[in-house]
Amino acid sequence: MNGDHLKEANVETEARAMDHTALSRPAPQLVRGTREVEPLLAAIPDAVFRIDANGTIEDANQLAEALVGFTRTELVGRAIELAIVHLGPMPVVESTRFMAGSTGACAAHRGGHLTPVEVLVTPHANGSKLAIVRPVYPDQRDGLRDDDVAQIVHDLKSPLATISLETELLELDGAENALSRAVRRIALNVAFLDRMVNDLLDLCAIDTNRFAIQRSSAEMRDLIDHVIERAVSSRDLHRVFVYAPERITLKIDDLRIERVIANLVQNALKYAPRATGVVVRLDVGPTRVRVSVSDSGPGILAADAATIFDKYRRLGDLRSHEGSGLGLFVSKRIVEAHGGRIGVDSVQGSGSQFYFELPNG
């Protein structure tokens, strides 16, 4: 036997050994890998495995085949552990789970080598799940941290779930006022997602030194009223008080300044007791215009206040609230790009006042 034949024999032996140790169940008699791959799987630009509730592979796209070195025919009917090792227990059907590269999950190639991967397992049709798998290479670790990505994915799920539920309710017969409330909740959650997505886009621009603002004339009182109308739910609207005795028009990036105000107002409503109000105040000075948002929440420790505008910063005792930790960081960069400054005054137990100032003129 020559060297090439010996090498092929060794690869086949390794593949058979891996196949034997990785499988806990035999393949079914019917091999479904001969039909075309599901269109959704083919369209996703990552390796994708469709698996049933027991973790058995039902389908896989070409990128999945390339990642692990097995054909679809070989994969269908096998345990997902053949392809992805150290994956851990599957989530229940109704839940989505993100496994960062730091968890140790690896794609197992039939040739014997392992590739670190991050995996998103999400519900699919008829009780099945999709495992979307992406390799994690060393040069990617300078970007978003794995746990930060996981937090962002988690925060995106909550409003999406609400949108899905409220959309289903719209299809049912009900009173007009109930439908109106459902539509309003959908609009608020879409607005929340829009702010998060734009924060992520701005973060990417900041990290690559491509962040730029687009200025146009905007009247500040009208802008604040518009933010309150869009970003505050009807049940919280009575809690928000606006004090703006003077009108002032500034040359600003109005869409981004709207996001700054929305972030501050939403934070105040989120952390303050529901029986208390939030005051949004506009003060016009000779050289500066100041917008402040005051609440009667738990306040912030001095040590936390010094770092609260840092990237991904979230207060340790407030992690139960939704949020990626990007809003205040991006808001700071937006205000600074306008030549302004942002800050917070707070006394623990006595509430907080977040503010930003923009040049007047």
Side-chain angles (χ1 to χ4, degrees):
M1 181 178 290
N2 60 32
D4 291 337
H5 289 165
L6 180 60
K7 182 177 180 180
E8 291 174 359
N10 287 337
V11 169
E12 291 176 356
T13 300
E14 291 174 358
R16 285 196 296 270
M18 178 179 291
D19 187 89
H20 176 74
T21 57
L23 303 180
S24 58
R25 299 175 296 277
Q29 295 300 313
L30 177 61
V31 177
R32 291 168 289 174
T34 55
R35 64 171 174 76
E36 292 185 359
V37 67
E38 182 181 342
L40 175 62
L41 274 65
I44 296 176
D46 289 301
V48 185
F49 301 87
R50 192 180 77 220
I51 53 182
D52 66 15
N54 297 317
T56 300
I57 299 173
E58 297 179 328
D59 204 354
N61 64 6
Q62 288 186 332
L63 291 173
E65 292 179 301
L67 181 63
V68 298
F70 291 97
T71 66
R72 287 177 63 240
T73 301
E74 294 171 313
L75 290 168
V76 170
R78 305 296 191 180
I80 186 62
E81 289 83 6
L82 172 67
I84 309 297
V85 298
H86 310 308
L87 188 59
M90 288 290 100
V92 295
V93 173
E94 295 81 5
S95 68
T96 297
R97 178 182 172 212
F98 178 80
M99 284 148 280
S102 58
T103 62
C106 291
H109 194 274
R110 73 181 306 158
H113 61 269
L114 301 177
T115 302
V117 292
E118 57 188 20
V119 185
L120 180 68
V121 181
T122 188
H124 191 45
N126 301 320
S128 64
K129 295 182 280 287
L130 296 184
I132 304 171
V133 183
R134 178 176 296 175
V136 178
Y137 300 108
D139 58 356
Q140 291 179 315
R141 293 170 187 168
D142 292 330
L144 291 175
R145 297 173 299 179
D146 289 334
D147 54 343
D148 297 323
V149 174
Q151 182 62 58
I152 292 168
V153 171
H154 172 78
D155 290 333
L156 285 171
K157 288 190 305 175
S158 179
L160 280 174
T162 302
I163 290 171
S164 177
L165 175 61
E166 298 292 347
T167 302
E168 290 180 11
L169 292 177
L170 284 176
E171 297 175 357
L172 303 176
D173 292 333
E176 183 178 354
N177 60 345
L179 293 179
S180 298
R181 287 195 298 270
V183 171
R184 179 61 176 166
R185 281 170 58 82
I186 290 173
L188 288 170
N189 279 275
V190 169
F192 175 81
L193 282 175
D194 181 67
R195 289 195 300 275
M196 286 193 68
V197 170
N198 281 295
D199 282 345
L200 285 169
L201 291 174
D202 278 348
L203 176 65
C204 293
I206 290 167
D207 286 344
T208 56
N209 295 316
R210 293 183 292 106
F211 183 72
I213 60 174
Q214 304 294 325
R215 294 180 185 266
S216 61
S217 295
E219 204 289 311
M220 291 298 294
R221 169 63 195 247
D222 290 343
L223 186 144
I224 291 171
D225 288 341
H226 182 62
V227 171
I228 301 304
E229 180 183 355
R230 279 187 46 197
V232 179
S233 67
S234 55
R235 70 174 185 175
D236 285 327
L237 203 55
H238 69 282
R239 298 175 58 198
V240 181
F241 303 89
V242 177
Y243 180 79
E246 296 183 59
R247 288 188 173 271
I248 182 71
T249 297
L250 300 178
K251 293 280 285 186
I252 57 174
D253 189 326
D254 57 339
L255 293 179
R256 284 191 166 108
I257 293 299
E258 279 188 18
R259 276 171 42 216
V260 174
I261 298 172
N263 279 331
L264 299 185
V265 172
Q266 287 288 352
N267 282 345
L269 290 171
K270 183 168 30 176
Y271 296 128
R274 295 200 57 80
T276 64
V278 169
V279 178
V280 183
R281 182 183 178 101
L282 173 67
D283 293 299
V284 180
T287 61
R288 294 268 170 174
V289 174
R290 178 185 174 105
V291 177
S292 61
V293 179
S294 303
D295 64 66
S296 301
I300 304 169
L301 291 171
D304 288 326
T307 60
I308 199 168
F309 294 98
D310 291 351
K311 189 188 296 187
Y312 306 120
R313 177 62 173 161
R314 304 180 74 201
L315 297 185
D317 58 343
L318 299 175
R319 291 184 183 273
S320 59
H321 295 280
E322 64 187 10
S324 62
L326 287 178
L328 290 179
F329 169 76
V330 174
S331 294
K332 181 174 186 289
R333 298 303 294 266
I334 289 173
V335 171
E336 290 176 344
H338 283 80
R341 70 185 188 97
I342 192 170
V344 59
D345 295 325
S346 181
V347 176
Q348 191 176 25
S350 301
S352 303
Q353 182 185 88
F354 283 82
Y355 65 87
F356 65 90
E357 296 177 346
L358 301 175
N360 183 0

